[in-house]
Amino acid sequence: GLNTGGMGAVSPVPFCTPEFLSKVEERIVKPTLEGLKAEEIDYKGFIFLGLMNDGGNPYVIEYNVRMGDPETEAVMTRIEGDFVDLLGACADGRLNEVHYAQSDKTAVTVMMVSGGYPEAYEKGKVMNGLEGLKDVVAFHAGTSFNADNEVVTSGGRVIAVTAHGNTIEEARDLAYREVEKIHFEGANYRHDIGLDLMKLQ
């Protein structure tokens, strides 16, 4: 089908076991770092690895020198502590001096998109229900204000709703409960985010 970009994300994923992570480190992360050293590239920032799990083996789909959307909205909300401190330490070359921790909770992100996305879509649709959101983080991806100071759509991927829970099911139920509060003409979203992963638990 058409490339819709990211319509949702789950973090962490059940197949990301210590064994799988070890393969990622040995087969992908270490060779990547060795390549940067060999090219004498003093890189500071994100290297986002888009990976595919094929029979328990990781394969690279893409590299990005930024965080990916909407994976970011799931992953970032699990970081505990001050993220700005981590960014500053990265820029200063002292990441080894700062504490990094992540929540044990599961995050589920559902992306709401404009009608017609990823093909032609209309902008400027008034959004309602945002003020009633509870227990989630809503990341505005493609929104703006109109002349009446109302929040309106201004992009294809409009808003990402992220919820946390003790399980994928718990986080998913909360995310979808809150997504259903948001209304705008042509609103669309996938209803199956996380279902495939719940089968692996």
Side-chain angles (χ1 to χ4, degrees), residues 50-69:
L51 303 180
M52 177 176 64
N53 177 11
D54 183 17
N57 293 305
Y59 292 92
V60 176
I61 298 173
E62 63 178 354
Y63 281 98
N64 282 313
V65 289
R66 58 168 176 77
M67 290 291 281
D69 178 52

Side-chain angles (χ1 to χ4, degrees), residues 81-125:
D82 192 335
F83 183 61
V84 174
D85 287 345
L86 291 172
L87 293 178
C90 178
D92 297 338
R94 52 179 184 81
L95 267 177
N96 60 320
E97 299 174 12
V98 296
H99 175 68
Y100 170 81
Q102 62 186 24
S103 170
D104 291 331
K105 297 276 190 181
T106 295
V108 171
T109 299
V110 178
M111 180 67 75
M112 298 186 75
V113 301
S114 296
Y117 174 82
E119 297 186 298
Y121 54 85
E122 295 181 4
K123 300 179 182 180
K125 304 300 182 182

Side-chain angles (χ1 to χ4, degrees), residues 23-24 31 39 59 63 91 102 108 111-113 145 152 164 170 175 189 193 196 200:
K23 291 179 181 179
V24 171
E39 296 286 338
Y59 292 92
Y63 281 98
Q102 62 186 24
V108 171
M111 180 67 75
M112 298 186 75
V113 301
F145 290 101
V152 297
H164 286 194
E170 187 177 298
Y189 56 91
I193 302 301
D196 55 338
L200 302 177

Side-chain angles (χ1 to χ4, degrees), residues 65-183:
V65 289
R66 58 168 176 77
M67 290 291 281
D69 178 52
E71 298 90 345
T72 305
E73 287 88 329
V75 173
M76 296 285 286
T77 58
R78 295 184 57 235
I79 296 175
E80 296 182 339
D82 192 335
F83 183 61
V84 174
D85 287 345
L86 291 172
L87 293 178
C90 178
D92 297 338
R94 52 179 184 81
L95 267 177
N96 60 320
E97 299 174 12
V98 296
H99 175 68
Y100 170 81
Q102 62 186 24
S103 170
D104 291 331
K105 297 276 190 181
T106 295
V108 171
T109 299
V110 178
M111 180 67 75
M112 298 186 75
V113 301
S114 296
Y117 174 82
E119 297 186 298
Y121 54 85
E122 295 181 4
K123 300 179 182 180
K125 304 300 182 182
V126 175
M127 300 178 66
N128 295 298
L130 297 173
E131 65 286 344
L133 298 180
K134 291 176 57 179
D135 304 319
V136 294
V137 181
F139 294 90
H140 289 247
T143 65
S144 61
F145 290 101
N146 64 13
D148 296 322
N149 210 35
E150 298 170 306
V151 179
V152 297
T153 64
S154 63
R157 285 187 279 177
V158 177
I159 194 164
V161 176
T162 299
H164 286 194
N166 293 313
T167 62
I168 294 175
E169 184 175 15
E170 187 177 298
R172 185 180 182 281
D173 287 348
L174 177 55
Y176 279 106
R177 183 194 79 189
E178 298 304 296
V179 161
E180 289 170 4
K181 295 179 180 179
I182 304 171
H183 302 281

